[in-house]
Amino acid sequence: MTELAKPIGWLTRARSSGALPLLVGLGALVVFYQSVNPHDPVAGWLVWRYLAIISLAGIWAASALSGGFFLSSLIGLKHVSFRERLVVSFALGVLAWGLLIVAVGLIGVLGRVTFFAIPLLMFGVGGIPLVRALKRAARLRRRLPATRVSLFARVCTAFGLISVALIYANILTPRNVMYDARWYHLPLAEQYAAAGRVFRLDEGWFNGTMPHFASYLYTWAFCSPFGHLFDRVELAAHLEFVLFVATLVSVPVLVDRLRPRPRLASAWVARFLFPGVMLYDSTLGCGADHVLAFLSVPLFLALLRLWSRPSHAHGELLGEFSCAALATK
C-alpha cells in the first residue's frame, strides 16, 4: 500500500499544481512522434522551415523598429505620442534598412556577413532604449482603467483577423508570387545577393531603371545562408507581410490623429472593406505596391505634424518618407 500511495500522491500534487495537463500533453506528443515518425519523418516537415522563416522575419521587424527608434531620438521626436512614435520609428527603420543595403552593396560586401551584421547594428544602437520605452509604456498602460470592448468591435476584429489569415495563407507557396515580382523585383534582389554588390546594369535592362526600394529590402532575404530558393522567396514574402501588418496597425494611429475622440482601436478592419486586396495583382506577392502603402501612413502623419507645428524635424521626416515613396514605385 505504501508503494502504491507514492505515485498516487505524486499525481495528486501534479494535478493540484496544474502540471498534470502538461505531463499528459507531453506524453501524447511522445506517442504521436513514435507513431508518425517512422512513416513521415517529423524532421522533414515544412512547418519547421516556416517557423524559421517567421522567426527571421520577426528579427528583421524588431531590428528595424530598434534602429528606427534610435533615429527618431536623433531627429527629436520624443514629444509625439508613443504610438505615433512607434509607427514613425518602424518606417524610419525600414528606410534605413534599404539605404544600408544600397551602401553595403555599393562597397561590394553583400553576403552572409551582411545578413547578420545589419540586424546586430540595428539592435545595438536602439534595442535597449526601445525595450526601456516599451516597459515604461506597459507600466503606464496597466495603471489605466480597463475599457469595455463592445460586441460590434469584437465582431469587426474577428472579421479582420480572418481576412489577415486568408491573405497570409496566400503567401505560403512561392507559386503565388506575382508576375512583376518574378520579372524584376525578386530577380534583381537575387542578382545583387549573388554578386555581393549593387551594380550598374550595363546591358540596358529597362526594368532595372525603375524605382526598386522593395528589391533592396528583398535583397536581405536572398543573402540568407539558410535553406534554398524556396526559403529565400518565402522570407521575402514574409517581409512584405510584416509591412502589410504594420500598415494595418498604423491605421488606428492615423485615425486617432484625425479624430482623437472616440478612439477607434478597430479602425484597421476598414482596410478589408475593399475586397480587391484578396485578388491577384492587389494582394501580397513580393511586389512594391504594399511597400508603398506601408509608407503612406507615416508620410501623412509627418505632413500633419509639419502643417500643425512647422519644424526642422517634421520637415526632415516628410522629406525622408516622400523620397522613400518615390524610390519604391
Side-chain angles (χ1 to χ4, degrees):
M1 293 293 292
T2 304
E3 296 178 357
L4 183 61
K6 289 182 179 180
I8 292 177
W10 182 82
L11 287 174
T12 303
R13 289 193 299 271
R15 183 174 60 182
S16 62
S17 64
L20 186 58
L22 177 61
L23 293 174
V24 172
L26 290 175
L29 286 177
V30 171
V31 173
F32 176 81
Y33 177 82
Q34 292 177 344
S35 302
V36 173
N37 193 63
H39 307 285
D40 186 9
V42 176
W45 287 7
L46 275 176
V47 65
W48 310 121
R49 299 173 72 173
Y50 283 120
L51 288 176
I53 291 167
I54 292 171
S55 300
L56 290 174
I59 292 173
W60 179 83
S63 64
L65 182 58
S66 299
F69 195 79
F70 169 75
L71 293 175
S72 67
S73 299
L74 290 182
I75 295 175
L77 293 180
K78 297 181 180 180
H79 61 280
V80 303
S81 67
F82 186 66
R83 295 198 311 157
E84 184 174 338
R85 186 181 176 187
L86 288 180
V87 171
V88 173
S89 295
F90 187 59
L92 283 174
V94 172
L95 175 58
W97 258 100
L99 294 177
L100 282 173
I101 289 291
V102 174
V104 172
L106 291 176
I107 298 173
V109 291
L110 278 175
R112 296 184 176 184
V113 175
T114 305
F115 184 81
F116 297 102
I118 296 181
L120 289 175
L121 174 63
M122 294 284 199
F123 283 125
V125 297
I128 294 177
L130 175 62
V131 171
R132 290 174 179 171
L134 290 174
K135 288 182 177 179
R136 185 166 56 250
R139 287 195 299 268
L140 294 175
R141 181 67 180 85
R142 285 193 293 267
R143 296 176 185 174
L144 297 177
T147 56
R148 182 178 176 274
V149 181
S150 65
L151 177 61
F152 178 73
R154 294 176 186 270
V155 172
C156 289
T157 302
F159 168 73
L161 292 176
I162 292 173
S163 301
V164 171
L166 290 174
I167 290 178
Y168 180 73
N170 189 54
I171 71 170
L172 290 178
T173 170
R175 292 181 179 273
N176 287 336
V177 170
M178 292 182 180
Y179 179 75
D180 289 352
R182 295 170 185 260
W183 192 10
Y184 47 86
H185 290 303
L186 294 185
L188 194 61
E190 187 178 22
Q191 288 182 59
Y192 290 154
R197 60 189 180 91
V198 173
F199 54 87
R200 186 178 67 178
L201 302 172
D202 293 328
E203 71 276 12
W205 186 33
F206 174 77
N207 291 324
T209 65
M210 293 189 289
H212 281 297
F213 181 73
S215 296
Y216 297 139
L217 298 180
Y218 299 148
T219 299
W220 181 75
F222 282 93
C223 289
S224 172
F226 307 111
H228 304 284
L229 180 61
F230 170 91
D231 305 272
R232 296 182 180 97
V233 173
E234 279 298 307
L235 179 55
H238 278 72
L239 296 186
E240 184 189 24
F241 181 75
V242 167
L243 296 181
F244 177 73
V245 173
T247 306
L248 297 179
V249 172
S250 64
V251 168
V253 178
L254 176 60
V255 172
D256 291 346
R257 185 76 174 81
L258 296 172
R259 182 184 175 90
R261 294 290 182 273
R263 176 167 289 182
L264 302 175
S266 56
W268 61 274
V269 182
R271 176 64 183 88
F272 299 106
L273 296 179
F274 303 89
V277 72
M278 300 289 181
L279 303 177
Y280 179 82
D281 205 35
S282 295
T283 189
L284 305 188
C286 293
D289 294 353
H290 289 280
V291 178
L292 180 62
F294 159 74
L295 293 168
S296 61
V297 173
L299 194 157
F300 194 55
L301 288 173
L303 176 61
L304 291 176
R305 287 287 175 183
L306 182 63
W307 187 270
S308 60
R309 186 188 297 178
S311 67
H312 175 77
H314 297 155
E316 186 177 348
L317 268 185
L318 181 61
E320 289 172 351
F321 293 146
S322 298
C323 291
L326 290 172
T328 303
K329 196 171 178 63

